[in-house]
């Protein structure tokens, strides 16, 4: 069974993340979405909230499982016997950082490949931080986050 990991902070999950998770689920036998616990920046949503948003919005994808990890991504990938890490690339500006990470991860764990999917055109500009900024100023984020969790995200971000 070919297992892939989709790692990220998911603070919160956006339609751009979901697009990558959905496409990865069509390419691999199983996809483990891995929510990073030890974030440098203080997250707006707890790990439990981020996991619950992801579970709710990926329930239709039967080969997708949601988990969390602390520490090194490659240790988690080994634990899950993953063959690949799948990441979305939005623009050239993402490339340098992602390239460095993939090189380091390859040294740490040569048996795991990093696979990049180009972000779909409609989500090129999207990030969790942009969503948080718009919501915190009362802007409409309906086009950026899944409908099922929209009100929970708005409630939190407008009351921070
Ligand atoms: O959504 P993000 O914040 O861009 O996700 C970044 C993530 C979780 C993929 C990255 O921070 C990560 O892999 N962290 C784990 C620490 C690690 O393994 N570092 C070594 C490789 S540079």
């Amino acid at each position: 069974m070919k297992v892939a990991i989709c790692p990220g902070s998911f603070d919160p999950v956006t339609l751009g993340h979901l697009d990558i998770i959905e496409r990865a689920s069509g390419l691999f036998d199983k996809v483990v979405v891995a929510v990073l616990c030890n974030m440098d920046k203080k997250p707006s949503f707890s790990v439990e909230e981020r996991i619950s948003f992801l579970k709710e919005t990926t329930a239709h994808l039967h080969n997708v499982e949601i988990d969390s990890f602390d520490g090194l991504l490659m240790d988690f990938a080994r634990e899950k016997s993953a063959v690949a890490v799948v990441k979305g690339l939005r623009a050239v500006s993402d490339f340098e950082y992602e390239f460095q990470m993939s090189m380091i991860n390859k040294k740490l764990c040569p048996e795991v490949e990093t696979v990049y999917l180009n972000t779909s055109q409609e989500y090129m500009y999207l990030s969790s931080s942009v969503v948080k900024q718009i919501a915190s100023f009362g802007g409409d984020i309906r086009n950026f986050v899944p409908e099922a969790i929209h009100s929970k995200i708005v409630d939190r971000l407008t009351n921070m």
Side-chain angles (χ1 to χ4, degrees), residues 133-152:
Q133 194 174 65
I134 295 170
S136 67
F137 290 116
D140 185 1
I141 56 165
R142 227 167 257 283
N143 288 328
F144 312 141
V145 297
E147 177 57 36
I149 58 168
H150 171 263
S151 60
K152 289 175 200 157

Side-chain angles (χ1 to χ4, degrees), residues 30-34 55 58 61-67 76 80:
K30 181 169 150 187
V31 171
V32 180
V33 179
K55 282 192 172 159
T58 60
L61 302 168
H62 300 299
N63 62 343
V64 170
E65 135 188 336
I66 315 298
D67 207 334
F76 182 77
K80 295 286 171 185

Side-chain angles (χ1 to χ4, degrees), residues 11 42-45 132 136 153-160:
D11 187 42
K42 196 179 154 9
S44 304
F45 297 91
K132 288 194 273 191
S136 67
I153 293 174
V154 170
D155 284 352
R156 168 66 51 81
L157 296 173
T158 51
N159 291 308
M160 278 183 82

Side-chain angles (χ1 to χ4, degrees), residues 7-10 36 69 71-74 87 97 101 104-105 108:
S9 313
F10 302 106
L36 179 68
F69 77 107
L72 289 179
L73 175 62
M74 286 300 113
K87 313 220 50 198
Y97 174 66
M101 280 216 287
I104 292 170
N105 285 337
L108 293 175

